[in-house]
Amino acid sequence: MAALDGLPPLRDVIQRHGLDARKALGQNFLLDLNLTQKIARTAGPIENHTVIEVGPGPGGLTRAILALGAKRVIAIERDARCLPALAEVSAHYPGRLTVIEGDALKTDFEALAPGEPVRIIANLPYNVGTQLLVNWLLPKTWPPFWESLTLMFQREVGLRIVAEENDDHYGRLGVLCGWRTRAHMAFDVPPQAFTPPPKVTSSVVHLEPIADPLPCDVASLERVTQAAFGQRRKMLRQSVKSLGGEALLARAEIDPQRRAETLSVEEFVRLANAL
Ligand code: SAM
């Protein structure tokens, strides 16, 4: 199938550059440009934005983001084998694609496009996806440097990100995301959409920052969620015992017989502030 952007089909690109997928780098490539465009469109308008992409690989999602008109794309890729393929994309869109060879976990994202409106879009390597998300949720200042995050995760992780109270998937990640963002599941992507197919279904999740989240110290929120969800089946009087137990719960006006899973984000914030 000829590509819509005039560049060679991704299957040819992968073959020509010998980009056999490496499991250790979480490489599951998307070759369907309709699907990559659907992911890019989920981010919202990008014409005036710098888009930061993690793990462009052979460039399928990168091409979709550029074809949809992103002002600029900065892509961070760890696998040097992908750089020649990405250089071809860069040549096709002069001045709009900057590729940085490096580890996203060691990248200072805030310094990449200071003062510019930024959206982050990525089909993330599964082994580093959650850590990157947490880093983006805990930047030096809030509101953050990004306007949105549109990210592919394993469906299980996606469910944890968007989970609210009284949901089996609700936990520390759901509280953190619910405190600072509005997060929703955009759509699922079946294993066979990837080359090679992963074992499980994936989901695209979209998050936008809440401008003024409830005031709360991050470290305190992490301490209470860690304790509460560390023993999620137990009553709070037991699970938060080491943090003050019933006295702490009384200060936060939370019934000690409740379980972690039933507390709203607002109640977790109250608990953290009562520490
Ligand atoms: N965006 C491409 C696509 O959708 O087809 C590739 C996605 S693949 C799931 C993940 C990509 O992230 C791979 O290209 C891999 O080399 C890259 N990667 C893995 N670990 C990385 C890291 N720590 N920093 C930057 N890129 C990484």
Side-chain angles (χ1 to χ4, degrees), residues 25-30 53 55-57 76-78 102-104 123 125:
L25 287 167
Q27 292 183 333
N28 301 98
F29 301 134
L30 291 171
E53 188 196 357
I76 296 109
E77 174 57 61
R78 194 173 179 179
D103 182 348
N123 172 15

Side-chain angles (χ1 to χ4, degrees), residues 10 14 22 24-31 36 39 53-62 76-82 100 102-107 122-128 132 152 194-195:
L10 279 158
I14 288 172
R22 303 230 164 122
L25 287 167
Q27 292 183 333
N28 301 98
F29 301 134
L30 291 171
L31 307 190
T36 53
I39 299 170
E53 188 196 357
V54 173
L61 184 53
T62 322
I76 296 109
E77 174 57 61
R78 194 173 179 179
D79 186 354
R81 295 181 310 153
C82 298
I100 299 173
D103 182 348
L105 287 173
K106 295 183 184 147
T107 301
N123 172 15
L124 291 172
Y126 287 143
N127 46 354
V128 296
L132 283 172
M152 177 96 75
F194 299 85
T195 303

Side-chain angles (χ1 to χ4, degrees), residues 62-113:
T62 322
R63 284 164 60 171
I65 297 165
L66 288 161
L68 281 181
K71 193 172 165 201
R72 203 155 78 93
V73 177
I74 303 173
I76 296 109
E77 174 57 61
R78 194 173 179 179
D79 186 354
R81 295 181 310 153
C82 298
L83 302 187
L86 294 166
E88 290 172 9
V89 181
S90 195
H92 191 75
Y93 292 99
R96 288 174 59 200
L97 172 61
T98 306
V99 180
I100 299 173
E101 183 190 350
D103 182 348
L105 287 173
K106 295 183 184 147
T107 301
D108 180 0
F109 285 92
E110 299 196 54
L112 291 179

